[in-house]
Amino acid sequence: PLQADWARLLLGLKDGEPLLEMKLLTTDGLVLGGADAVVHLARSTWWAWPFFALAQLPGVKPILRAIYRRIAQNRYCFAGRCALPAKPAAHHRHLTSSFYDLP
Protein backbone atom coordinates (compact mmCIF):
# COMPACT_ATOMS: atom_id res chain seq x y z
CA PRO A 1 0.00 0.00 0.00
CA LEU A 2 2.72 2.50 0.91
CA GLN A 3 4.76 1.53 -2.17
CA ALA A 4 1.70 1.94 -4.35
CA ASP A 5 1.13 5.44 -2.94
CA TRP A 6 4.73 6.42 -3.72
CA ALA A 7 4.47 4.96 -7.22
CA ARG A 8 1.28 6.91 -7.91
CA LEU A 9 2.95 10.08 -6.62
CA LEU A 10 6.08 9.58 -8.73
CA LEU A 11 4.03 8.84 -11.84
CA GLY A 12 1.74 11.82 -11.30
CA LEU A 13 -1.43 9.78 -10.85
CA LYS A 14 -4.33 11.02 -8.75
CA ASP A 15 -6.00 8.83 -6.14
CA GLY A 16 -8.79 6.80 -7.70
CA GLU A 17 -7.70 7.65 -11.23
CA PRO A 18 -7.79 4.52 -13.40
CA LEU A 19 -4.56 3.47 -15.05
CA LEU A 20 -5.42 3.56 -18.75
CA GLU A 21 -1.91 2.97 -20.04
CA MET A 22 1.42 1.60 -18.96
CA LYS A 23 3.58 4.18 -17.19
CA LEU A 24 7.38 4.24 -17.21
CA LEU A 25 9.60 6.30 -14.93
CA THR A 26 13.02 6.73 -16.55
CA THR A 27 16.26 7.06 -14.62
CA ASP A 28 16.34 10.78 -15.40
CA GLY A 29 12.86 11.29 -13.89
CA LEU A 30 10.87 11.47 -17.12
CA VAL A 31 7.43 9.83 -16.98
CA LEU A 32 6.34 8.21 -20.24
CA GLY A 33 3.06 6.48 -20.93
CA GLY A 34 1.58 4.09 -23.46
CA ALA A 35 3.26 3.86 -26.84
CA ASP A 36 5.92 6.37 -25.84
CA ALA A 37 6.99 4.07 -23.00
CA VAL A 38 7.05 1.07 -25.34
CA VAL A 39 9.21 2.98 -27.84
CA HIS A 40 11.56 4.06 -25.05
CA LEU A 41 11.93 0.46 -23.85
CA ALA A 42 12.48 -0.74 -27.42
CA ARG A 43 15.43 1.63 -27.73
CA SER A 44 17.34 -0.27 -25.04
CA THR A 45 16.38 -3.77 -26.16
CA TRP A 46 18.58 -5.07 -28.97
CA TRP A 47 15.91 -7.20 -30.66
CA ALA A 48 13.28 -4.41 -30.47
CA TRP A 49 15.59 -1.67 -31.70
CA PRO A 50 14.13 -1.80 -35.26
CA PHE A 51 10.75 -0.90 -33.73
CA PHE A 52 12.39 2.12 -32.07
CA ALA A 53 13.96 3.13 -35.39
CA LEU A 54 10.61 2.81 -37.18
CA ALA A 55 8.98 4.99 -34.50
CA GLN A 56 11.39 7.82 -35.34
CA LEU A 57 9.97 8.25 -38.83
CA PRO A 58 7.71 11.30 -39.24
CA GLY A 59 4.07 10.55 -38.50
CA VAL A 60 4.66 7.09 -37.01
CA LYS A 61 4.35 7.94 -33.29
CA PRO A 62 0.77 9.26 -33.55
CA ILE A 63 -0.18 6.03 -35.32
CA LEU A 64 1.54 3.93 -32.64
CA ARG A 65 -0.25 5.91 -29.92
CA ALA A 66 -3.62 5.27 -31.57
CA ILE A 67 -2.85 1.55 -31.92
CA TYR A 68 -1.74 1.38 -28.28
CA ARG A 69 -4.94 3.11 -27.08
CA ARG A 70 -7.07 0.75 -29.16
CA ILE A 71 -5.35 -2.33 -27.76
CA ALA A 72 -5.52 -0.99 -24.19
CA GLN A 73 -9.24 -0.21 -24.51
CA ASN A 74 -9.98 -3.69 -25.82
CA ARG A 75 -7.57 -5.75 -23.72
CA TYR A 76 -10.39 -7.91 -22.42
CA CYS A 77 -11.58 -8.86 -25.90
CA PHE A 78 -10.36 -12.24 -27.08
CA ALA A 79 -11.76 -14.32 -29.93
CA GLY A 80 -14.65 -11.90 -30.43
CA ARG A 81 -15.76 -12.01 -26.80
CA CYS A 82 -15.50 -8.76 -24.88
CA ALA A 83 -16.18 -8.79 -21.18
CA LEU A 84 -14.44 -8.01 -17.97
CA PRO A 85 -12.85 -11.17 -16.62
CA ALA A 86 -14.52 -12.94 -13.74
CA LYS A 87 -12.58 -12.85 -10.52
CA PRO A 88 -10.48 -16.01 -10.43
CA ALA A 89 -10.66 -18.32 -7.44
CA ALA A 90 -8.44 -17.22 -4.57
CA HIS A 91 -6.00 -20.12 -5.02
CA HIS A 92 -5.61 -19.38 -8.76
CA ARG A 93 -5.50 -15.59 -8.54
CA HIS A 94 -1.72 -15.41 -8.70
CA LEU A 95 -1.73 -17.01 -12.14
CA THR A 96 -3.86 -14.38 -13.84
CA SER A 97 -4.06 -11.29 -11.66
CA SER A 98 -1.03 -9.51 -13.11
CA PHE A 99 -2.23 -10.12 -16.67
CA TYR A 100 -5.69 -8.71 -16.01
CA ASP A 101 -4.26 -5.71 -14.16
CA LEU A 102 -2.16 -4.58 -17.14
CA PRO A 103 -3.11 -1.27 -18.66
Side-chain angles (χ1 to χ4, degrees):
L2 183 58
Q3 288 177 335
D5 291 340
W6 275 104
R8 289 182 96 55
L9 179 66
L10 288 172
L11 296 174
L13 301 173
K14 298 176 181 129
D15 283 339
E17 179 182 7
L19 189 58
L20 301 176
E21 62 183 7
M22 172 181 68
K23 295 287 186 179
L24 174 69
L25 178 62
T26 65
T27 56
D28 57 351
L30 185 63
V31 176
L32 300 171
D36 295 316
V38 173
V39 169
H40 183 82
L41 292 172
R43 181 179 188 181
S44 59
T45 307
W46 70 267
W47 53 265
W49 201 90
F51 178 75
F52 167 76
L54 176 70
Q56 303 314 302
L57 295 174
V60 174
K61 279 191 183 176
I63 294 169
L64 292 176
R65 290 176 187 132
I67 292 170
Y68 183 95
R69 282 191 305 270
R70 178 75 180 228
I71 291 170
Q73 289 170 350
N74 295 297
R75 67 182 173 266
Y76 297 116
C77 295
F78 299 104
R81 295 178 55 217
C82 298
L84 292 176
K87 293 283 185 186
H91 65 284
H92 293 298
R93 177 141 176 82
H94 70 284
L95 297 175
T96 58
S97 62
S98 60
F99 175 78
Y100 288 122
D101 291 339
L102 289 174

